[in-house]
């Protein structure tokens, strides 16, 4: 039987872990600025940089012009097929439930800020995690143009599946991110930030120690980045954290600092998509229980929290789309109970694809709201 957090005490797990670090965390300055980051993000995203930018001459390179054309076409198609429909759906069906909570927790996300922003544009803090590393960017003007051209090609390759199917293929992503001069997840996150209309104002390497304290630099055992940005549409300054971390039970037993840090933000809007059904297995019970304990809402496909761990006496559940079962690769994680819930609830169809079942007619999406 799967472990459950204690009933009727939603904060018992979180406070036991993180209360000692909460005050110190809130005192952190998360808006360190650095010149040129906004232009770097726009250049990588295939968008024009500001007038007078040191990067302006690089836009005349035929490889960048081809990259810009490819990115314009891909994101225009994505807007029509996915993002515009997500925003309309969210406004009607998700926002009334999730507004007022400032944190989006997106575990097993990789660098996918794009969908976190589409579903949760009102959040001011985004907490992302993956196994892929995050390195600081070099000055783009110091990178040879041939290496920059190679980087642009790798960005296009890395984005291929998420722009067409809404998720990253982990193995392919890991290989793509190590091929070019600009390694790791930061270039991809910069592309998503720029293409979603954000202006990057800060990039710092940060780390988290065993107790969940966050510090600048690579001093802690878990490393990542903090990206500061402005969102003109929301009129707000926001923060994106991305950490490279293993969330298996064995890893969290050795080093619980990452969930202690995430838990210090209090009740979250949690988001799970194409999560490899890891929390369906015994080796990820700790992170599953953490998500259940710290979340006020959970928006997910069937690869996130198993339906058996979302009982109706603790969660209000709404179902959208369809449940045809997992794709063949994950066939053993079929959930007969979820099939029954779908059959009994007559869910509304989805106007966009989501998760491994990328075709909208077969996509599964469920919203759990704590009672």
């Amino acid at each position: 039987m799967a472990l459950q957090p204690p009933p009727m005490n939603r904060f018992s797990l979180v406070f036991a872990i993180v209360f000692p670090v909460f005050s110190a965390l809130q005192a952190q300055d998360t808006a360190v600025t650095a010149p040129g980051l906004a232009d770097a993000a726009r250049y990588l995203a295939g968008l024009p940089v500001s007038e007078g930018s040191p990067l302006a001459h690089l836009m005349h390179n035929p490889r960048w012009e081809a990259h810009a054309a490819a990115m314009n076409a891909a994101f225009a198609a994505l807007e029509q097929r996915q993002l515009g429909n997500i925003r309309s759906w969210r406004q009607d069906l998700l926002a009334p439930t999730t507004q007022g909570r400032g944190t989006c927790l997106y575990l097993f996300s990789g660098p996918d800020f794009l969908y976190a922003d589409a579903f949760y544009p009102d959040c001011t803090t985004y907490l992302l995690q993956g196994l892929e590393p995050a390195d600081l960017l070099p000055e783009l003007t110091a990178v040879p143009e041939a290496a920059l051209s190679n980087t642009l090609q790798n960005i296009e390759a890395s984005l291929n599946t998420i722009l067409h199917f809404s998720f990253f293929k982990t193995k392919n992503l890991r290989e793509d991110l190590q091929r070019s001069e600009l390694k790791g997840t930061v270039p991809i996150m910069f592309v998503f930030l720029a293409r979603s209309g954000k202006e990057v104002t800060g990039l710092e390497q940060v780390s988290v120690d065993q107790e969940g304290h966050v510090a600048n630099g690579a001093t802690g055992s878990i490393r990542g980045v903090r990206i500061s940005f402005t969102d003109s549409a929301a009129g707000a300054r926001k923060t994106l954290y991305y950490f490279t971390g293993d969330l298996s039970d064995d890893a969290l037993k050795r080093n619980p600092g990452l969930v202690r840090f995430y838990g210090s933000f209090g009740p979250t809007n949690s988001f799970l998509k194409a999560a490899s059904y890891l929390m369906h297995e015994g080796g990820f019970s700790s992170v599953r229980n953490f998500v259940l304990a710290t979340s006020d809402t959970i928006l997910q496909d069937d690869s996130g929290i198993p339906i058996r761990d979302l009982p109706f006496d603790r969660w209000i559940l709404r179902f959208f789309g369809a449940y045809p079962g997992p794709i063949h690769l994950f066939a053993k994680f079929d959930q007969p109970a979820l099939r029954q819930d779908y059959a009994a609830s007559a869910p509304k169809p989805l106007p966009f694809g989501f998760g491994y079942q990328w075709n909208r007619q077969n996509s599964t999406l469920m919203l759990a709201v704590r009672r």
Side-chain angles (χ1 to χ4, degrees):
M1 178 179 293
L3 297 176
Q4 297 262 3
M8 305 303 291
N9 188 359
R10 57 184 291 199
F11 296 114
S12 58
L13 173 62
V14 178
F15 276 9
I17 295 174
V18 304
F19 185 76
V21 306
F22 182 74
S23 297
L25 173 66
Q26 298 304 307
Q28 290 281 342
D29 177 8
T30 60
V32 177
T33 59
L37 290 175
D39 280 339
R42 292 182 63 83
Y43 173 83
L44 295 174
L47 293 169
V49 300
S50 61
E51 186 176 351
S53 168
L55 300 177
H57 71 284
L58 295 175
M59 294 192 300
H60 303 300
N61 184 305
R63 182 67 196 88
W64 183 87
E65 292 174 346
H67 174 69
M71 290 290 96
N72 287 340
F75 277 90
L78 185 68
E79 175 66 26
Q80 183 175 16
R81 186 182 71 251
Q82 288 279 96
L83 300 182
N85 294 329
I86 287 173
R87 282 191 289 270
S88 297
W89 180 91
R90 173 207 161 267
Q91 187 63 37
D92 294 337
L93 296 168
L94 183 63
T97 300
T98 60
Q99 282 179 336
R101 301 173 184 88
T103 302
C104 170
L105 175 66
Y106 187 5
L107 302 181
F108 310 104
S109 63
D112 181 21
F113 172 76
L114 186 67
Y115 278 87
D117 176 66
F119 282 99
Y120 297 102
D122 295 327
C123 285
T124 55
T125 303
Y126 298 86
L127 306 174
L128 275 59
Q129 168 273 339
L131 295 176
E132 302 81 16
D135 301 325
L136 295 181
L137 290 181
E139 287 288 341
L140 296 191
T141 52
V143 178
E145 287 198 31
L148 274 182
S149 294
N150 183 51
T151 291
L152 299 179
Q153 289 179 311
N154 282 326
I155 285 174
E156 292 171 27
S158 300
L159 295 179
N160 182 57
T161 56
I162 195 167
L163 294 184
H164 288 88
F165 306 114
S166 90
F167 59 89
F168 287 109
K169 289 185 178 179
T170 303
K171 180 178 181 295
N172 294 354
L173 178 65
R174 204 171 301 162
E175 293 172 355
D176 291 337
L177 296 181
Q178 294 307 309
R179 276 200 203 104
S180 64
E181 187 83 12
L182 276 61
K183 301 184 186 303
T185 56
V186 169
I188 302 299
M189 291 188 287
F190 269 32
V191 169
F192 288 157
L193 285 158
R195 281 284 172 176
S196 56
K198 312 303 188 287
E199 181 178 357
V200 179
T201 59
L203 171 65
E204 303 165 272
Q205 188 175 49
V206 292
S207 57
V208 174
D209 66 15
Q210 291 272 359
E211 302 304 317
H213 298 98
V214 65
N216 292 340
T219 58
S221 53
I222 299 172
R223 298 175 183 179
V225 291
R226 177 168 56 204
I227 302 174
S228 306
F229 62 95
T230 58
D231 183 346
S232 58
R237 297 171 66 184
K238 300 186 177 184
T239 306
L240 164 63
Y241 287 93
Y242 173 90
F243 284 99
T244 305
D246 183 346
L247 297 179
S248 67
D249 288 350
D250 288 343
L252 291 181
K253 186 175 181 180
R254 293 191 303 270
N255 191 347
L258 188 56
V259 292
R260 289 177 174 176
F261 172 70
Y262 287 155
S264 65
F265 287 86
T268 63
N269 290 315
S270 291
F271 185 46
L272 295 162
K273 175 171 65 67
S276 299
Y277 298 86
L278 293 173
M279 289 182 288
H280 288 235
E281 302 189 274
F284 287 82
S285 60
S286 295
V287 69
R288 181 179 66 237
N289 288 341
F290 170 75
V291 173
L292 290 168
T294 198
S295 305
D296 263 359
T297 69
I298 303 171
L299 183 70
Q300 64 170 18
D301 63 7
D302 61 303
S303 73
I305 302 288
I307 195 67
R308 66 175 182 262
D309 293 315
L310 295 166
F312 282 94
D313 61 337
R314 299 183 193 176
W315 299 91
I316 300 169
L317 299 177
R318 294 191 66 185
F319 302 97
F320 304 92
Y323 180 62
I327 60 174
H328 179 72
L329 179 64
F330 299 110
K332 69 177 182 178
F333 298 110
D334 186 66
Q335 300 181 72
L338 183 57
R339 198 180 306 278
Q340 294 174 4
D341 288 334
Y342 264 80
S345 61
K348 293 183 177 182
L350 282 174
F352 52 86
F354 190 79
Y356 294 123
Q357 294 282 10
W358 56 270
N359 186 304
R360 67 180 68 181
Q361 281 76 34
N362 293 328
S363 292
T364 303
L365 184 63
M366 64 191 87
L367 173 64
V369 180
R370 187 181 298 280
R371 291 187 182 274

